[in-house]
Amino acid sequence: LSPHQLIREQKIRRACFLLKDTDMPIKQIATHLGYTDYTNFTRAFREVMQMTPREFSLHGIIPVLHRTPLTPNAGDTATVE
């Protein structure tokens, strides 16, 4: 992921928590996360979550992100054939 994509995913993940755990309106959440245009927030949210913020607030489940570690753990070994 590029730094831009990582920041966007972090913002959308934060939006997921705000949508589920608060009564903040979606437009206020967008502004809170630094989006000056509600449409851009909705577009970014849909690209990451495959649904609109409204749909997520009604039916979505907060995602668990699984990332591959950048460096192997000390006990991990790799075999190259």
Side-chain angles (χ1 to χ4, degrees):
L1 289 175
S2 72
H4 174 75
Q5 290 170 319
L6 183 60
I7 290 169
R8 182 177 71 164
E9 282 192 12
Q10 289 173 342
K11 284 184 177 183
I12 298 305
R13 183 165 170 77
R14 179 70 181 137
C16 290
F17 282 100
L18 293 172
L19 287 164
K20 288 296 188 179
D21 294 340
T22 71
D23 292 330
M24 287 175 68
I26 296 171
K27 287 185 180 184
Q28 186 178 355
I29 290 172
T31 302
H32 178 75
L33 295 173
Y35 287 90
T36 56
D37 182 18
Y38 173 74
T39 305
N40 288 339
F41 169 70
T42 300
R43 185 180 305 117
F45 193 97
R46 184 178 302 188
E47 286 174 5
V48 173
M49 299 302 298
Q50 287 77 52
M51 65 179 74
T52 67
R54 173 86 174 128
E55 291 168 337
F56 181 85
S57 69
L58 296 173
H59 309 290
I61 298 171
I62 294 176
V64 176
L65 301 179
H66 296 284
R67 298 274 184 232
T68 304
L70 296 177
T71 57
N73 293 330
D76 291 347
T77 58
T79 304
V80 178
E81 296 182 26

